[in-house]
Amino acid sequence: MVGPSRPQFVLFGSSITQFSFANGGWGAILADVYARKADILLRGYLSWNSRRAVQVLDQVFPKDAAVQPSLVIVYFGGNDSMGPHPSGLGPHVPLPEYVDNMRKIATHIQSLSDKTRLIFLTCPPVNETKVRESQSKFLSELVRTNELCKVYAQACIKLCQEIGIKVVDLFTAIQKRDDWMNVCFTDGIHLSAEGSKVVVEEIMKVLKEAEWKPSLFWKSLPTEFAEDSPYDLIAADGTKTLNGSDWIIHRDIMWD
């Protein structure tokens, strides 16, 4: 642990989470937006489903940890929603069990501390044609359809409404773009930079509108070591320095 301590935001999920720091991913965007404000911690696991997530909850989120996260963003469901394999192997999880597993995840994370906030992300849609074209010769056929994704996404939303936690409907949000099938994925499943922008936009809406105290929206959090200094960059008139602690001139999107 390095100091000073900052709020910790944990991204917990399957490959869409594990890959979120690659290629302009949504985790990397969040890390930039929250630079000097919060630490974005990645706990993403390729090919995992909600069943495996439940098995490691105590290891990933120990209740006796000295510091508990301020925010946990959870994504499971895409792999759960895959069609079952005749062997019984693979990531498919029946819908009732998926809902029960997500409830267990929510209950555990909410028990960590009174200040730990939670956001669930639903399944995004998929580009079914691209999924088939990208099929690896080393894998059995992937049964990934938007019909299945929609069912699991709706179940996730319903659960969140029942237990009162925030949810981002990625299945709907991504499809608001007319060109979503062509620009939002790298392989029909995993998110491109454009797809990740949609994720961040929706997460920011939740963080800005949530009536959490303290607010976790990036503009509401203090910037670390933001005091004026004679070592800052010198102004054009040569008489003073300019504090650039909160400059965001490098960003293409302001995320307001």
Side-chain angles (χ1 to χ4, degrees):
M1 180 67 184
V2 296
S5 62
R6 303 173 180 173
Q8 293 183 355
F9 293 4
V10 182
L11 315 182
F12 180 47
S14 55
S15 55
I16 279 179
T17 305
Q18 180 175 325
F19 299 165
S20 68
F21 275 75
N23 306 314
W26 59 278
I29 296 172
L30 288 175
D32 173 61
V33 172
Y34 281 90
R36 297 174 64 171
K37 294 176 177 289
D39 288 331
I40 311 298
L41 306 181
L42 184 62
R43 295 295 182 270
Y45 304 94
L46 173 67
S47 81
W48 277 36
N49 57 20
S50 63
R51 188 180 292 163
R52 291 192 75 178
V54 167
Q55 292 173 353
V56 301
L57 278 175
D58 288 322
Q59 294 165 265
V60 178
F61 299 104
K63 292 188 177 183
D64 60 352
V67 178
Q68 294 293 357
S70 296
L71 174 67
V72 181
I73 300 176
V74 177
Y75 168 71
F76 290 102
N79 294 321
D80 299 67
S81 73
M82 290 176 60
H85 192 270
S87 68
L89 300 172
H92 170 73
V93 172
L95 186 64
E97 183 189 346
Y98 166 71
V99 173
D100 188 52
N101 289 341
M102 297 301 282
R103 189 188 302 273
K104 290 176 182 176
I105 292 170
T107 299
H108 182 90
I109 292 173
Q110 288 180 312
S111 74
L112 297 177
S113 82
D114 293 338
K115 296 293 186 181
T116 298
R117 309 305 182 187
L118 179 60
I119 301 173
F120 276 3
L121 309 179
T122 75
C123 297
V126 295
N127 181 331
E128 296 179 25
T129 300
K130 199 164 187 177
V131 171
R132 290 190 293 269
E133 293 173 351
S134 303
Q135 176 70 44
S136 170
K137 65 180 181 180
F138 298 106
L139 296 175
S140 178
E141 181 184 1
L142 300 177
V143 181
R144 298 290 289 258
T145 69
N146 282 315
E147 182 179 0
L148 289 170
C149 289
K150 182 178 181 179
V151 170
Y152 280 69
Q154 290 176 336
C156 181
I157 293 169
K158 182 179 179 182
L159 171 66
C160 291
Q161 291 171 340
E162 285 179 6
I163 62 180
I165 63 174
K166 304 296 184 182
V167 61
V168 170
D169 180 3
L170 290 182
F171 187 82
T172 299
I174 286 178
Q175 292 186 79
K176 289 179 180 178
R177 288 193 58 154
D178 292 337
D179 57 354
W180 67 271
M181 280 199 291
N182 298 320
V183 302
C184 287
F185 306 103
T186 58
D187 55 5
I189 296 173
H190 300 103
L191 298 170
S192 65
E194 289 301 309
S196 283
K197 289 175 184 176
V198 177
V199 178
V200 176
E201 180 180 5
E202 296 300 315
I203 290 172
M204 287 300 167
K205 287 179 185 177
V206 172
L207 293 174
K208 187 175 184 178
E209 295 171 4
E211 297 179 354
W212 292 334
K213 297 186 184 304
S215 171
L216 298 179
F217 185 57
W218 68 275
K219 285 191 171 182
S220 301
L221 295 178
T223 300
E224 189 174 279
F225 297 134
E227 63 275 6
D228 293 337
S229 169
Y231 307 120
D232 286 332
L233 296 173
I234 303 170
D237 64 10
T239 64
K240 61 180 182 285
T241 58
L242 298 178
N243 187 334
S245 298
D246 288 311
W247 290 355
I248 53 175
I249 55 177
H250 65 289
R251 290 184 193 155
D252 294 328
I253 303 174
M254 295 297 104
W255 303 112
D256 290 331

